[in-house]
Amino acid sequence: MKRIVVLGAGYAGMRMVKRLAAAKVDAQIVLVNKNPYHYQSTELHEVAAGTKEPADITFDVAQVFAKKKNVRVVIDEVTKVDQDAKKVELKNSDSLSYDYLVNALGFESETFGIKGARENGWPLIDVDTALAARKHLEDTLKRYKTSHDANDLRIVVCGAGFTSIEYLGELVYRLPDLAKEYGFPLDQVKIDCIEASPKILPMFNQNLADWGVKFLEGKGVTFHVSTPITEVKPDAVMSNDTAFPAGTIIWTTGVQGSHIIADSGYDQKRNRVVVEDDLRVKGQPDQFLVGDVSAVPNPDNGRLYPTTAQISIAQADCAADNLVALINGGTTKKFVFKSLGTVCSLGPKTGIASIDMMGHWNLKGWLAAVAKKMIADRSALELADIRTMLESD
Ligand SMILES: Cc1cc2nc3c(=O)[nH]c(=O)nc-3n(C[C@H](O)[C@H](O)[C@H](O)COP(=O)(O)OP(=O)(O)OC[C@H]3O[C@@H](n4cnc5c(N)ncnc54)[C@H](O)[C@@H]3O)c2cc1C
């Protein structure tokens, strides 16, 4: 019997294993993940701001597959893929050999080599980093009551991409409650968002982007566009000679793929590998790369697709079908992606959305927030499959 090893229980890895298990392919499926739980990374900003708890965005991986006899879950950290020996090296247990490998190890924070970013910025990458960012923010705001140091009330969010904007939305929603709890003057809190490019939310049309920016500005956020960050100090973010003082620096400038990609000798850029059109690795016909570790050119314009949960899930579906076809002696198909649109929350109650389902819809306000919640709930339901957990045998 063949052994398929899937690395990472994120959106791509979970979806992959669910689809392979459902296909009843004649193979043993081994899913390796460093934590016993899956986390909805699209909701990490909510944990970081304190509007959600880790329990709201996580579920137990082994429990999801408990009834699947052909699935084994290994909780361990991957340290390297030995592509020549077809083995995965693990931190705490013996290496795992594979016939087929699916690498879905996901994303890590990108610092672009900016001095001090790693040491002084708080990234939002997983549950631990989101909780650490939250603790630092709350401790710093709380300290103001005794320190009276204006810097304790200053927050800088680095980058104005999706994660930054969604974090800002949760932050401005949460601050009034924190002010009550910790007794700091809400009107003296200063929030700066610093972005190198001239545009904010470029993936939306101008009207929606302006609405989102105005909403956040109305809640006290100041945007600084065309402002490249050159250094991150412990108490300030620098753009050349301009300092943006801050007691809390949130580092959400962008992501790269898992460092295991470079460590394992893949031909990569920012730990992402340009894959073949059936999602296999060039020269490694037994290996698929899906999710944020892969880079897939959009055939319409030749540019790489952005890294999103939506694409990760679509890739997993395609790669699972291709893997089943290979095992059954069939042929693989090309990955084709049809975007369902983009939704950006601005706190739990509002947002902006550009949706391509049954027509094209531009939404702003509470309807966009409802759309975001529906997508997140559906994704959790599909990945965790509540039904499998409730079945009696
Ligand atoms: C705050 C935030 C909001 C976002 N919002 C959206 C959104 O609204 N819509 C959207 O489509 N996308 C969104 N994204 C992007 C989306 O989260 C990613 O594109 C998606 O998570 C990628 O899925 P993945 O399965 O490739 O990787 P991941 O979700 O990163 O999963 C990787 C898994 O591998 C595990 N792992 C990592 N390293 C190791 C190791 N060495 N050994 C063992 N296990 C390991 C991790 O613990 C994790 O379980 C958002 C991202 C963030 C951070």
Side-chain angles (χ1 to χ4, degrees):
M1 190 191 274
K2 301 283 187 200
R3 182 190 273 173
I4 304 169
V5 175
V6 179
L7 308 181
Y11 292 97
M14 289 293 286
R15 180 69 167 223
M16 185 86 204
V17 174
K18 291 215 71 153
R19 195 143 169 136
L20 286 173
K24 298 193 171 39
V25 62
D26 185 26
Q28 184 199 28
I29 305 158
V30 183
L31 173 61
V32 186
N33 197 52
K34 69 177 164 197
N35 302 305
Y37 55 83
H38 161 92
Y39 53 90
Q40 303 274 95
S41 37
T42 57
E43 295 172 64
L44 285 171
H45 56 290
E46 295 163 78
V47 172
T51 49
K52 276 195 180 163
E53 297 300 327
D56 299 325
I57 69 157
T58 54
F59 50 77
D60 189 280
V61 175
Q63 204 180 352
V64 172
F65 299 110
K67 305 264 162 57
K68 305 287 178 194
K69 300 218 170 6
N70 55 346
V71 178
R72 190 178 131 214
V73 175
V74 173
I75 304 304
D76 207 332
E77 191 173 326
V78 176
T79 53
K80 195 180 163 190
V81 176
D82 184 338
Q83 300 186 75
D84 294 333
K86 294 182 78 170
K87 270 189 194 160
V88 175
E89 292 174 11
L90 301 173
K91 192 173 176 183
N92 301 313
S93 27
D94 292 342
S95 57
L96 268 174
S97 58
Y98 60 82
D99 297 297
Y100 295 98
L101 183 72
V102 181
N103 193 326
L105 285 173
F107 66 92
E108 292 178 359
S109 179
E110 169 68 280
T111 62
F112 303 100
I114 294 170
K115 193 174 163 198
R118 197 169 298 285
E119 297 79 8
N120 302 315
W122 295 92
L124 311 184
I125 291 301
D126 52 24
V127 174
D128 289 346
T129 53
L131 279 176
R134 171 177 172 178
K135 181 170 181 337
H136 175 85
L137 172 75
E138 293 187 5
D139 287 351
T140 308
L141 293 171
K142 190 173 173 179
R143 193 170 60 203
Y144 179 81
K145 208 172 169 183
T146 46
S147 73
H148 297 290
D149 178 352
N151 232 24
D152 286 346
L153 298 185
R154 290 188 180 135
I155 303 161
V156 168
V157 174
C158 301
F162 229 82
T163 303
S164 300
I165 298 293
E166 291 205 312
Y167 173 76
L168 284 165
E170 297 298 317
L171 179 68
V172 297
Y173 179 83
R174 175 98 164 112
L175 276 172
D177 284 345
L178 289 175
K180 266 188 226 141
E181 197 174 338
Y182 299 134
F184 60 82
L186 187 58
D187 59 354
Q188 286 177 39
V189 174
K190 188 161 175 2
I191 308 171
D192 291 298
C193 177
I194 304 174
E195 168 60 45
S197 77
K199 251 185 135 182
I200 293 174
L201 295 170
M203 64 295 279
F204 292 102
N205 72 30
Q206 200 59 49
N207 185 302
L208 281 182
D210 288 349
W211 193 88
V213 168
K214 281 211 173 65
F215 173 84
L216 290 172
E217 284 176 340
K219 301 279 178 188
V221 178
T222 306
F223 288 98
H224 306 268
V225 292
S226 304
T227 308
I229 295 169
T230 48
E231 186 179 348
V232 182
K233 295 185 170 175
D235 56 358
V237 174
M238 304 298 298
S239 178
N240 298 313
D241 294 336
T242 309
F244 296 90
T248 299
I249 298 167
I250 301 294
W251 186 259
T252 40
T253 53
V255 294
Q256 58 180 335
S258 160
H259 68 279
I260 301 299
I261 294 294
D263 292 355
S264 305
Y266 289 91
D267 182 11
Q268 50 79 35
K269 202 169 167 197
R270 294 175 60 201
N271 290 325
R272 297 179 74 202
V273 179
V274 178
V275 287
E276 304 275 36
D277 56 14
D278 64 357
L279 304 178
R280 281 191 283 179
V281 180
K282 203 173 184 174
Q284 297 282 346
D286 303 330
Q287 265 196 66
F288 289 84
L289 246 79
V290 286
D292 282 11
V293 287
S294 71
V296 184
N298 180 342
D300 294 341
N301 55 23
R303 286 165 49 192
L304 298 178
Y305 283 116
T307 51
T308 68
Q310 202 188 129
I311 291 179
S312 302
I313 289 170
Q315 283 183 307
D317 284 347
C318 174
D321 292 352
N322 284 345
L323 191 32
V324 173
L326 286 180
I327 290 174
N328 293 336
T331 51
T332 59
K333 62 184 178 186
K334 282 185 186 175
F335 173 67
V336 186
F337 179 64
K338 164 103 182 63
S339 172
L340 299 177
T342 309
V343 188
C344 179
S345 65
L346 299 165
K349 298 199 168 152
T350 192
I352 52 177
S354 172
I355 294 180
D356 293 301
M357 255 187 310
M358 292 181 281
H360 179 76
W361 306 86
N362 287 327
L363 308 175
K364 49 195 174 203
W366 65 272
L367 268 175
V370 170
K372 175 97 187 179
K373 187 169 163 23
M374 276 167 60
I375 292 167
D377 288 353
R378 199 179 123 204
S379 153
L381 188 73
E382 283 182 358
L383 295 177
D385 195 351
I386 306 291
R387 276 168 301 145
T388 43
M389 289 195 258
L390 296 180
E391 275 167 12
S392 55
D393 71 42

